[in-house]
Amino acid sequence: MKTFLGTPAVAPRGVGFLRGDETFPRAARKALADPQLRRNLGHATTTIREKSGAVIAELPDWQELREAGRALKAATMSNLVELLEQLETAVTKAGGTVHWAADAHEANRIVTDLVRATGERRVIKVKSMATMEIGLNEALESAGITPVETDLAELIVQLGHDKPSHILVPAIHRNRSEIRELFLREMPGVDPSLTDDPAALAAAARRHLRETFLRTKVAVSGANFGIAETGTLAVVESEGNGRMCLTLPETLITVMGIEKVVPTWRDLEVFLQLLPRASTGERMNPYTSMWTGVTPGDGPQEFHLVLLDNGRSAVLADEVGRQALHCIRCSACLNVCPVYERAGGHAYGSVYPGPIGAVLSPQLTGVADNASLPYASSLCGACFDACPVKIDIPTLLVHLRDAVPHPMAEKVVMAAAARTMSRPRLYRAAQRAARLSRFAGRRGRGLPPPLSGWTSSRDIPAPPPQTFREWWAER
Amino acid sequence: MLGRIRAALGGAAPLPLDVPRDYRPGGELPPGDPALVELLVDRLVDYRATVHRLAGDGATVHSGDIAARVGEILPSGCTVVIPPGLPPGWLPDGIVGVPDDGRSHEWLDTVAGVVTAATVAIAETGTIVLDGSPDQGRRVISLLPDLHVCVLRTDQVVASVPEALRRLTPGRPLTWISGPSATSDIELNRVEGVHGPRNLHVVIV
Ligand code: SF4
C-alpha cells in the first residue's frame, strides 16, 4: 500500500483511455468538418432529450428524488472507506471474492490472471465504462485472451476498430449502411444478402453472438451499483446481453469503480427511479440484473469483484472536484450540451465525453494531462439542470480552469472557443473570417478574435470546408 | 488502497448516511387496486408486451382458465421449459412442459418458450420482477427461450419502485423485466429482440 504524501496518485499514463492525442479544440474541429456525425448526434440528442423530458414530467417528486440522490452520493463519498469495507465483507460472505486495484495496471493484471486461472482464452463482455477506461481489452489481447464485446453498439465499435462516441449510444457516429458493411466484412459467416434494415442488422448480431454466449465460460462486466449493506451488484441494460453474460458463464468478473458503492438496499429506490428516466428516457430500462455473490445452482458459480481506484482517490482529495464522482453515467448532460452536440464524443479524447468528461477526466489524470477539457464548455448550465444527481458541472469547470497550467491569454481564448461553438451567430462570423484568412497569404495573422489568441500560439488548422452556418442552415 | 482513500478524505467529519427522503415512499393506491392494474397494462402495452387479462376478481380464476390462455399463446405440440415449482395445471394438454432440473444451455436454446410466475410488478414503470423462487426458476430458463409467458396475480402489482424494493429479498438473484429486449443502437431506431426473449406475454389473473 502506498503512503500518501500530499500528491494523490492519478491514473497512470500509457494505459487505458483517459487522455486524448490532441487538445479539445483541435479534435473538435475534425468533428465540425463531419456533417454525417453532426447530423447523427443532433438526431440522437434531440430524440433522447424529448423522451426523457416526457417521462420525467410523469413523476411529481422528480426534484425530491434528485435531492435525495445528491445527498446520498455526497454522504457515500464521505463514508467511502467504511462502505467499501462493508461491501467487501458482504460479497465475501455471499461466496464472492473481492480484489483491490489501485490503478489500471493492477486491475488489468488481476483480471488477466483470473481469466488465465480458468484456462479459457475467450471472455464475453458487457459494456462497461470502467473496463474501457483501463484498457482491459488491450491488456487481455496482449495476454492472448480474446475479449468479445456483446452490446450491439460496442460490437459495432469493436468490429470497426473504433472508439465509442457517446456513453449511451457509442456507435451513434455510424449509420446503417456503414454498419452493414462492417458486419459483412468482419462477421464470419454472415449472410451476404444482409440488408441495412436495423432489424435485420440486429438479428445478424443476435445470431453471431448466440453461439459465443453459449460457449464462453468467463464473462467480464461492470456494475451500476454495488450495495454495501447486502453485497448485491446491479447492472442495468436494454438488450439482454448483460443477462447472458451475468447468467451463462461459469466465472463472472466484475470491475467496479469505488465510487459506485451505494450504502443500503433501500437507496436503490432513488437511483432506479433517476437513472432510466434521465438516461434513455424510459420509465425503466428493459432489463436489470441483481446478484449477490454466488447462488448455488443459478448463474456463475465463481464470482470476483475488482474494486478500481485509478485516480478516484485523487478526485476525492479535492473537496470541490469530488462531486464528479457522484456521476451515475446517465449521459443526460451530454444530450443537453450545445458543445457536445457539435463536437461529438471523440473530441474529448477520453472514454468519458461531454460535460461530465470535461470535469472527470482531468481530475482522474491530473489537470495537466487534460488541460483543454475544462474549457470544453460555454458554462451555459444546461448540464447542471439535467443531472439527476445535481452535479454542479459549471462550478467544477471554473474550479478546474483555475488549476490549468496555461497562460492566461490561452485560457481566455479556449473559453471563448467553446462559447462561440455553442452560439451559431458568433461562430459563423469567426468561421467566415477564418476562411477569408486563408487568402491572407503565408503570413496570415491566424484566426480573427476571439480565436486569434489560440492560433497565434499554435499552428493554424485548416478551416473546415463547410462553415458552421452552412451546416446550421442544412439541418 | 483504503489508506489512500482515507487520506484523500482528510479526516473530515463524515456526512450522515441517513439523508432526507422527501420523495414519495409509495403510490396512493394499495397493491392490486384495479386502477394500478390498468396502469400496469398501459405500460406493458406501451412497450409492446402482449397482455392477457383473465376475467374474474382473482379468487375465481382457476388454473384451467390460465391453461386455456397459455394454450392460445403457445403453438400446440410445442415444448416449453417450466420452473420446477410451477403450479400444477397451468399448462394445457398438447403442450409439453419440461420441468427444469438443471438442463443444459444448449437444450434451453432450442425450446419454444418458458412459462413462469412472478414475484412483484411495478405499475408506474411496467416492470415485472423474477426472484428465482421455485415457480420462477433459474435465471437462465427465462432468458434463452425466445418466448416468455409470465403469469402475474393482481395482488402482486404495486404502484412504485420503493414499494417493490420493500417486497424483494436482496440476496436472491433478481431479474427486473420492463419490456422485451431492445436496442436503439442503429440510428436510434428501436429494434426489439436483440438477445433476450423476443416475445413477452403477460397473463394477469
Ligand atoms: S454528470 Fe450527471 S447528467 Fe452527466 S452523466 Fe453523470 S449523472 Fe448523468
Side-chain angles (χ1 to χ4, degrees):
Chain A
M1 190 161 294
K2 274 183 198 156
T3 334
F4 186 70
L5 292 172
T7 325
V10 295
R13 291 184 187 162
V15 59
F17 299 98
L18 286 171
R19 295 165 174 87
D21 304 331
E22 47 191 1
T23 62
F24 179 81
R26 196 171 272 260
R29 222 169 278 274
K30 281 189 201 143
L32 286 163
D34 180 347
Q36 176 71 47
L37 171 64
R38 287 195 316 261
R39 262 196 304 275
N40 290 358
L41 271 177
H43 175 53
T45 54
T46 314
T47 310
I48 300 175
R49 252 186 346 245
E50 282 166 7
K51 276 180 69 185
S52 173
V55 293
I56 284 172
E58 284 177 4
L59 288 188
D61 52 352
W62 182 252
Q63 293 308 333
E64 288 77 11
L65 284 165
R66 283 180 82 209
E67 177 51 30
R70 186 206 61 75
L72 273 171
K73 283 294 182 183
T76 300
M77 296 314 144
S78 82
N79 291 277
L80 200 55
V81 173
E82 293 71 24
L83 291 171
L84 289 171
E85 282 173 332
Q86 208 187 340
L87 178 68
E88 180 184 32
T89 306
V91 169
T92 310
K93 202 172 144 220
T97 309
V98 176
H99 309 259
W100 301 82
D103 60 28
H105 292 297
E106 270 190 39
N108 288 336
R109 203 198 59 232
I110 292 168
V111 177
T112 308
D113 287 351
L114 287 170
V115 179
R116 278 212 181 110
T118 65
E120 295 297 315
R121 305 303 295 268
R122 183 173 63 186
V123 302
I124 41 177
K125 285 191 69 208
V126 53
K127 179 184 163 191
S128 138
M129 307 288 302
T131 62
M132 228 183 302
E133 169 191 326
I134 60 176
L136 178 64
N137 285 1
E138 290 69 18
L140 289 172
E141 275 163 10
S142 64
I145 298 160
T146 308
V148 181
E149 293 289 354
T150 62
D151 271 76
L152 183 52
E154 295 298 334
L155 179 72
I156 294 167
V157 169
Q158 194 181 39
L159 291 177
H161 312 288
D162 212 352
K163 282 188 187 174
S165 54
H166 189 284
I167 296 183
L168 205 68
V169 270
I172 197 63
H173 57 293
R174 296 276 189 186
N175 65 25
R176 60 178 78 188
S177 60
E178 289 175 299
I179 295 168
R180 174 178 170 269
E181 279 164 32
L182 263 182
F183 281 14
L184 288 176
R185 199 170 65 227
E186 305 276 343
M187 252 183 209
V190 74
D191 180 358
S193 65
L194 180 70
T195 69
D196 66 2
D197 172 30
L201 293 170
R206 179 185 174 103
R207 273 191 305 277
H208 171 70
L209 284 174
R210 191 49 78 115
E211 274 298 287
T212 310
F213 282 133
L214 291 173
R215 287 167 191 275
T216 310
K217 298 200 169 75
V218 185
V220 176
S221 85
N224 292 92
F225 310 105
I227 299 153
E229 177 188 36
T230 60
T232 307
L233 278 296
V235 164
V236 307
E237 54 143 348
S238 299
E239 295 173 15
N241 60 310
R243 290 176 70 190
M244 294 278 179
C245 292
L246 300 169
T247 312
L248 298 180
E250 292 167 6
T251 301
L252 171 62
I253 304 166
T254 299
V255 181
M256 183 181 106
I258 50 175
E259 79 282 17
K260 297 279 180 204
V261 67
V262 169
T264 68
W265 172 254
R266 183 185 176 187
D267 300 332
L268 281 181
E269 72 189 24
V270 177
F271 297 116
L272 285 181
Q273 293 195 76
L274 290 172
L275 180 55
R277 289 182 202 253
S279 178
T280 47
E282 291 167 305
R283 297 179 181 107
M284 193 62 86
N285 48 289
Y287 298 132
T288 297
S289 298
M290 298 182 194
W291 72 101
T292 308
V294 169
T295 306
D298 186 346
Q301 296 299 296
E302 197 179 323
F303 172 56
H304 297 272
L305 176 63
V306 181
L307 294 171
L308 175 73
D309 183 337
N310 204 36
R312 284 160 177 79
S313 53
V315 185
L316 210 55
D318 181 335
E319 262 179 72
V320 180
R322 187 184 292 177
Q323 267 189 74
L325 294 178
H326 297 186
C327 175
I328 55 173
R329 311 273 185 265
C330 73
S331 78
C333 58
L334 279 67
N335 296 327
V336 298
C337 178
V339 175
Y340 173 82
E341 191 171 310
R342 318 265 187 289
H346 291 149
Y348 294 80
S350 152
V351 292
Y352 303 110
I356 184 60
V359 295
L360 183 59
S361 310
Q363 295 198 85
L364 290 171
T365 61
V367 177
D369 279 13
N370 265 310
S372 63
L373 283 187
Y375 296 93
S377 163
S378 62
L379 302 178
C380 75
C383 47
F384 185 18
D385 295 336
C387 179
V389 290
K390 292 170 84 168
I391 300 174
D392 185 353
I393 296 176
T395 297
L396 288 189
L397 286 163
V398 173
H399 173 70
L400 291 175
R401 285 178 190 186
D402 281 344
V404 169
H406 272 302
M408 201 52 195
E410 221 168 272
K411 294 188 185 194
V412 170
V413 168
M414 283 199 284
R419 213 162 41 236
T420 49
M421 206 183 286
S422 67
R423 282 191 293 180
R425 269 252 229 71
L426 273 178
Y427 199 81
R428 179 186 61 193
Q431 285 286 91
R432 190 158 8 85
R435 282 226 287 201
L436 290 176
S437 76
R438 272 199 297 185
F439 303 109
R442 275 281 146 84
R443 291 175 294 119
R445 291 171 309 281
L447 301 183
L451 301 175
S452 52
W454 173 253
T455 55
S456 63
S457 59
R458 307 277 153 157
D459 295 335
I460 307 169
Q466 182 202 36
T467 67
F468 186 91
R469 191 187 60 144
E470 284 157 5
W471 162 65
W472 190 258
E474 233 175 56
R475 292 178 84 217
Chain B
M1 210 168 106
L2 284 172
R4 202 154 90 175
I5 300 167
R6 197 173 285 120
L9 290 170
L15 300 170
L17 287 169
D18 186 17
V19 303
R21 295 174 193 263
D22 297 326
Y23 54 87
R24 297 169 305 148
E28 275 150 29
L29 300 169
D33 188 280
L36 280 188
V37 179
E38 271 319 310
L39 184 62
L40 175 70
V41 171
D42 176 77
R43 300 304 194 230
L44 293 170
V45 169
D46 192 42
Y47 61 63
R48 278 170 273 175
T50 313
V51 181
H52 309 262
R53 301 194 59 181
L54 296 191
D57 56 8
T60 59
V61 174
H62 299 292
S63 55
D65 303 331
I66 297 174
R69 189 56 62 102
V70 170
E72 286 165 25
I73 299 167
L74 295 167
S76 81
C78 76
T79 300
V80 297
V81 61
I82 56 173
L86 194 78
W90 277 15
L91 288 186
D93 294 341
I95 300 287
V96 184
V98 179
D100 173 48
D101 53 2
R103 294 273 163 164
S104 76
H105 297 161
E106 288 71 20
W107 182 80
L108 288 167
D109 193 37
T110 64
V111 296
V114 55
V115 180
T116 71
T119 298
V120 64
I122 307 166
E124 281 182 5
T125 60
T127 304
I128 294 167
V129 187
L130 309 184
D131 78 347
S133 294
D135 58 0
Q136 296 151 59
R138 294 188 295 156
R139 282 171 286 174
V140 66
I141 68 167
S142 50
L143 175 60
L144 288 176
D146 207 10
L147 189 155
H148 181 189
V149 181
C150 184
V151 181
L152 187 69
R153 296 192 318 267
T154 52
D155 66 4
Q156 294 177 314
V157 181
V158 300
S160 67
V161 173
E163 291 161 275
L165 282 162
R166 289 199 286 274
R167 285 189 169 209
L168 291 167
T169 313
R172 304 194 69 95
L174 300 174
T175 304
W176 296 46
I177 299 169
S178 312
S181 157
T183 183
S184 300
D185 283 341
I186 302 170
E187 296 181 11
L188 282 194
N189 282 289
R190 184 179 160 96
V191 175
E192 270 150 36
V194 201
H195 298 298
R198 281 183 278 204
N199 301 290
L200 174 63
H201 289 259
V202 184
V203 179
I204 302 178
V205 301

